[in-house]
Amino acid sequence: MNNQICPVPLNQRPLNEFNNIRNSWIISWPFLERNIFYRKLTFSWVLITPLSLTICYGSDYLKNNIFELLITSLTSSIAFPILLLIRQWLSWQYIYKRLNSENIEYEESGWYDGQTWEKPIDWRAKDLLIAQHQIKPILNHLQVMIIALILVIISSFLFILSGMN
């Protein structure tokens, strides 16, 4: 990578953005081993559960029905891991699109002077390999997890509603 031929600032090059995001704190979780990734998500769920339990305890109906209080608070606290997963998915989707693109959109000094630079063939080939073999599996896994957790929330709330009648 010769800096003279590439006008794109270093921090806006897709490969450098990929390396930065891969080393970030929450966004890099999908790069970890699956059991560590699941452990971190479970910890985030358990961490937010007391707050959810406190909020749900404010309901007079739930205060008198401990089982429904627990189910409602555990279910509603799943929203936090879902938000984390959505944030991760959005970041990885952004990098995936930047790596798959034939051109690099960049800004030299601010939001008002956007430029486009066509990637050389060797950059494009390397970016496509990273996008297809490292990022695409992460995106697929995150999508499955988000859908599964949303289905858990929906089925749990249907269970709660059926028990109220």
Side-chain angles (χ1 to χ4, degrees):
M1 272 192 248
N2 189 351
N3 289 336
Q4 286 80 22
I5 63 165
C6 179
V8 181
L10 285 174
N11 64 341
Q12 293 182 37
R13 295 180 185 176
L15 194 55
N16 291 342
E17 288 176 325
F18 168 72
N19 289 327
N20 287 337
I21 201 170
R22 191 174 59 178
N23 296 326
S24 68
W25 183 49
I26 291 177
I27 309 302
S28 66
W29 287 3
F31 256 102
L32 301 171
E33 292 179 30
R34 291 272 168 107
N35 62 349
I36 295 172
F37 174 62
Y38 295 142
R39 194 176 314 140
K40 286 181 180 264
L41 275 179
T42 304
F43 180 73
S44 70
W45 176 56
V46 169
L47 187 68
I48 203 73
T49 299
L51 176 65
S52 177
L53 187 61
T54 304
I55 292 170
C56 290
Y57 192 73
S59 166
D60 288 331
Y61 175 78
L62 291 176
K63 206 181 286 188
N64 298 324
N65 300 306
I66 299 300
F67 178 72
E68 289 182 12
L69 172 70
L70 288 174
I71 295 295
T72 304
S73 64
L74 290 173
T75 301
S76 61
S77 61
I78 292 176
F80 185 65
I82 288 175
L83 290 175
L84 289 176
L85 289 170
I86 289 172
R87 175 66 176 106
Q88 292 168 355
W89 184 82
L90 288 171
S91 296
W92 287 111
Q93 185 68 28
Y94 169 77
I95 295 299
Y96 180 76
K97 287 180 181 178
R98 299 264 298 163
L99 288 170
N100 267 335
S101 175
E102 293 179 6
N103 300 316
I104 300 174
E105 295 176 3
Y106 67 98
E107 295 156 359
E108 292 175 343
S109 63
W111 62 269
Y112 49 84
D113 65 348
Q115 303 288 329
T116 302
W117 183 70
E118 188 174 342
K119 292 180 190 176
I121 302 241
D122 56 334
W123 281 30
R124 177 138 168 77
K126 186 176 184 180
D127 287 357
L128 284 174
L129 279 173
I130 291 172
Q132 294 301 318
H133 296 288
Q134 290 189 16
I135 298 177
K136 189 65 174 170
I138 287 173
L139 288 172
N140 292 338
H141 183 240
L142 289 174
Q143 286 174 344
V144 167
M145 298 252 331
I146 290 168
I147 291 169
L149 288 178
I150 289 173
L151 289 175
V152 166
I153 287 178
I154 291 170
S155 61
S156 181
F157 277 130
L158 289 175
F159 174 75
I160 291 168
L161 290 176
S162 69
M164 292 176 132
N165 295 333

